[in-house]
Amino acid sequence: MINSVDFTNKDQSYKTVFFETFGCQMNKLDAELSLGLLQEEGYKIVDKVDEADVILFNTCSVRQHAEDKVYSHLGALKTLKKRHPEVIVGVLGCMAQKDGEAIFKRMPHVDLVCGTRMFSRLPEMLLKIRNHGSHVLAIDEDQIVNVKRAVTYRPNFYQAFVTVMRGCDNYCSYCIVPYVRGREISRTIADVKEEVQSLVSNGCKEVTLLGQNINSYGKGLGGNVTLGDLLSELNDVEGLDRIRFVTSHPADISHDLIRTISHLEKVCEYLHMPAQSGSDEVLKRMRRGYTAGYYRDLISYTRELISHITVASDFIVGFPGETEEDFQKTVRLMEDIRFQNCFIFKYSPRTGTKAAELKDDVPDEIKRERNIKLLGLQKRISLEENTKMIGKEVDVLVEGASKSDPNRFSGRTRQNHIVVFNGSQELVGKLVDVVVHEVTDLTLFGKLTSCI
Ligand code: SF4
């Protein structure tokens, strides 16, 4: 644990940091917050390890592959660290929380292991290592993270992610998140609103609220505060055009919330709500707390109230005991709901979770086959749904030059479609109307009609 040390004597000699992030959007935002803090301390961000005084990996534990990659990156730094022992090497985030001290044993050249709820103290930890030459292990679980954000540091000027809660109390049987991110803790509406207002004063037009289980927002705050209350407050923020929120859990999202968002004009018509499987047997073993029928009814209810909403999902194939019949139920769910897009993962056990106690009995080859089948099906559905958009006018928040064609511009609709169109630099950050004339499964292509 981090000890009490006098950090007032600021050291100006460590000034460059290399920072690599793995994993989910929450991790990317933690990276943004950490880099904001470090920049305020005078650090310059560099993109090469050999130019850095401090090398930090912000890690993910959701899949073994992500952890292996970090250990391999750390291993590759042994020689550099031998030549330059003054360089600080640190591991942050989920893997740091999960493996703790074991990281020092496996990689003795690592100086810092900083868990998921301690990164707001990053500058002082680096100073402690520098001044005292000691390893720092900081994995307290009950530290509440309410990071004062440097609003001027964010990758996209017009869009920002905002953490509204951390942790998860659901304990789905396959998921490591509750063990590495801890129990659910929500920020107050006042805190979140203040952050959003300062982002908007700094030019931001769209915010995406983040929470591992965002429909539980408000639990523990007292007074029955809900996500609907937060969204209603933010809907009144002047100058803000759009609000999104992820990730929704089918068992926790309420009809009340759906009714509320159907009346809030700034909340975008897009729901990321992972179904994970179409088989009730598998859902039960996953401890998801709903059935496929419940999921279908929820989507019907949502579409009744918000007809043009798009829905995205995650699926896991090859979960322990998943039969061909179970898999076909997932295929049917996908065909019936017609998701806008889906993230599809092959199951791999994570030590410490309940599912890791089950026999991982679906052969890898079958997992791969099912993964390919679902990806193909989703590609077909996405293309068919996008084709229906041809000839329609869509409103787009312009994000910048298109990655595939720098002569064109790209942005997103409220329903989260990516749109590429003719445009100009001065449209970036503005809402424009575009008529769609061509599509792929991933992108709509169109022509600008007006700027709002
Ligand atoms: S809801 Fe389930 S899958 Fe999502 S973070 Fe919590 S435990 Fe993991």
Side-chain angles (χ1 to χ4, degrees):
M1 298 298 146
I2 185 162
N3 301 319
S4 144
V5 176
D6 178 13
F7 293 117
T8 50
N9 178 22
K10 285 196 180 185
D11 187 325
Q12 298 300 311
S13 61
Y14 273 95
K15 286 300 163 208
T16 54
V17 58
F18 171 88
F19 200 107
E20 186 168 357
T21 293
F22 299 81
C24 65
Q25 196 51 59
M26 185 74 90
N27 259 17
K28 287 181 190 148
L29 180 55
D30 284 352
E32 195 182 314
L33 298 177
S34 305
L35 286 170
L37 288 174
L38 292 174
Q39 274 198 332
E40 282 194 339
E41 292 290 313
Y43 282 83
K44 186 172 161 250
I45 302 155
V46 293
D47 53 13
K48 291 194 183 88
V49 280
D50 51 12
E51 288 172 3
D53 303 313
V54 177
I55 300 169
L56 300 173
F57 296 108
N58 190 23
T59 60
C60 168
S61 277
V62 169
R63 267 166 286 282
Q64 186 60 44
H65 177 68
E67 289 193 2
D68 294 346
K69 214 162 158 186
V70 173
Y71 276 116
S72 138
H73 281 24
L74 290 171
L77 289 177
K78 263 185 206 154
T79 324
L80 182 144
K81 185 75 180 167
K82 228 178 236 165
R83 269 189 278 124
H84 299 283
E86 73 285 0
V87 170
I88 294 177
V89 176
V91 181
L92 321 179
C94 294
M95 198 179 107
Q97 190 72 39
K98 179 174 144 287
D99 290 355
E101 188 109 43
I103 295 177
F104 292 133
K105 291 205 177 99
R106 188 163 162 186
M107 297 281 163
H109 58 290
V110 168
D111 304 287
L112 168 69
V113 171
C114 168
T116 52
R117 293 192 173 184
M118 294 295 283
F119 68 87
S120 56
R121 296 181 70 188
L122 203 47
E124 59 190 81
M125 292 180 208
L126 293 177
L127 198 57
K128 180 183 174 188
I129 295 165
R130 163 68 172 145
N131 289 345
H132 300 264
S134 53
H135 283 181
V136 168
L137 173 69
I139 52 169
D140 268 1
E141 281 190 10
D142 51 4
Q143 176 102 358
I144 296 172
V145 175
N146 191 17
V147 183
K148 278 282 163 230
R149 177 181 201 147
V151 289
T152 47
Y153 179 77
R154 57 181 194 275
N156 189 328
F157 190 71
Y158 298 100
Q159 291 158 312
F161 290 94
V162 175
T163 302
V164 301
M165 64 174 298
R166 288 180 179 271
C168 182
D169 291 350
N170 273 0
Y171 291 91
C172 300
S173 67
Y174 53 84
C175 184
I176 195 81
V177 166
Y179 305 94
V180 292
R181 289 273 176 183
R183 306 299 303 246
E184 289 170 1
I185 301 176
S186 295
R187 298 174 64 196
T188 63
I189 290 183
D191 272 341
V192 176
K193 194 169 178 183
E194 194 190 324
E195 182 173 328
V196 170
Q197 275 167 330
S198 65
L199 284 163
V200 170
S201 333
N202 191 254
C204 181
K205 301 279 187 194
E206 176 182 303
V207 291
T208 301
L209 310 183
L210 293 184
Q212 256 101 18
N213 186 25
I214 199 156
N215 309 121
S216 292
Y217 171 81
K219 214 164 91 182
L221 286 179
N224 295 326
V225 174
T226 65
L227 179 61
D229 299 332
L230 175 65
L231 291 168
S232 301
E233 276 290 326
L234 298 182
N235 197 62
D236 292 338
V237 172
E238 223 172 291
L240 180 66
D241 287 332
R242 290 177 172 186
I243 308 167
R244 303 182 189 275
F245 61 94
V246 288
T247 300
S248 287
H249 190 296
D252 292 324
I253 194 166
S254 67
H255 284 206
D256 259 1
L257 177 72
I258 296 164
R259 272 196 300 278
T260 303
I261 61 175
S262 73
H263 298 301
L264 297 176
E265 75 282 0
K266 290 183 184 172
V267 176
C268 293
E269 297 80 7
Y270 172 77
L271 198 58
H272 179 209
M273 188 164 72
Q276 303 299 8
S277 172
S279 156
D280 291 348
E281 287 308 308
V282 174
L283 287 170
K284 208 167 168 185
R285 284 198 296 281
M286 287 178 167
R287 297 187 173 190
R288 289 288 287 174
Y290 55 87
T291 61
Y294 182 83
Y295 188 91
R296 284 170 196 271
D297 290 347
L298 198 55
I299 298 291
S300 301
Y301 180 78
T302 309
R303 284 178 171 161
E304 244 168 60
L305 263 62
I306 313 167
S307 56
H308 47 306
I309 198 164
T310 52
V311 184
S313 180
D314 298 352
F315 285 97
I316 296 172
V317 291
F319 190 77
E322 185 191 66
T323 61
E324 183 55 30
E325 201 185 322
D326 291 321
F327 175 67
Q328 288 308 325
K329 287 178 182 167
T330 300
V331 170
R332 276 201 293 284
L333 184 75
M334 210 182 216
E335 278 170 341
D336 294 346
I337 303 285
R338 299 186 70 80
F339 297 100
Q340 188 204 37
N341 61 57
C342 286
F343 301 94
I344 299 152
F345 305 100
K346 287 183 288 169
Y347 172 74
S348 72
R350 303 305 293 127
T351 310
T353 61
K354 274 283 157 203
E357 294 165 17
L358 303 171
K359 192 165 174 236
D360 184 16
D361 55 357
V362 179
D364 228 30
E365 211 180 290
I366 305 280
K367 285 181 187 169
R368 208 169 28 246
E369 256 174 42
R370 291 178 183 168
N371 190 23
I372 291 169
K373 272 188 196 155
L374 282 196
L375 285 170
L377 174 58
Q378 183 54 48
K379 195 175 159 77
R380 174 169 68 72
I381 292 170
S382 298
L383 182 60
E384 286 169 0
E385 289 301 309
N386 284 354
T387 303
K388 292 180 192 163
M389 303 294 290
I390 293 178
K392 290 192 176 152
E393 191 172 73
V394 290
D395 65 328
V396 176
L397 178 64
V398 186
E399 292 176 8
S402 157
K403 280 184 194 124
S404 54
D405 179 356
N407 295 319
R408 292 203 276 180
F409 284 76
S410 83
R412 276 173 203 262
T413 65
R414 289 172 62 98
Q415 290 83 11
N416 215 27
H417 301 101
I418 299 168
V419 187
V420 173
F421 54 96
N422 60 310
S424 55
Q425 190 58 37
E426 42 302 349
L427 294 179
V428 176
K430 296 207 165 66
L431 289 168
V432 298
D433 289 329
V434 172
V435 170
V436 178
H437 58 67
E438 210 184 320
V439 299
T440 66
D441 58 314
L442 297 175
T443 312
L444 312 180
F445 296 90
K447 206 163 181 280
L448 189 71
T449 57
S450 72
C451 173
I452 301 162

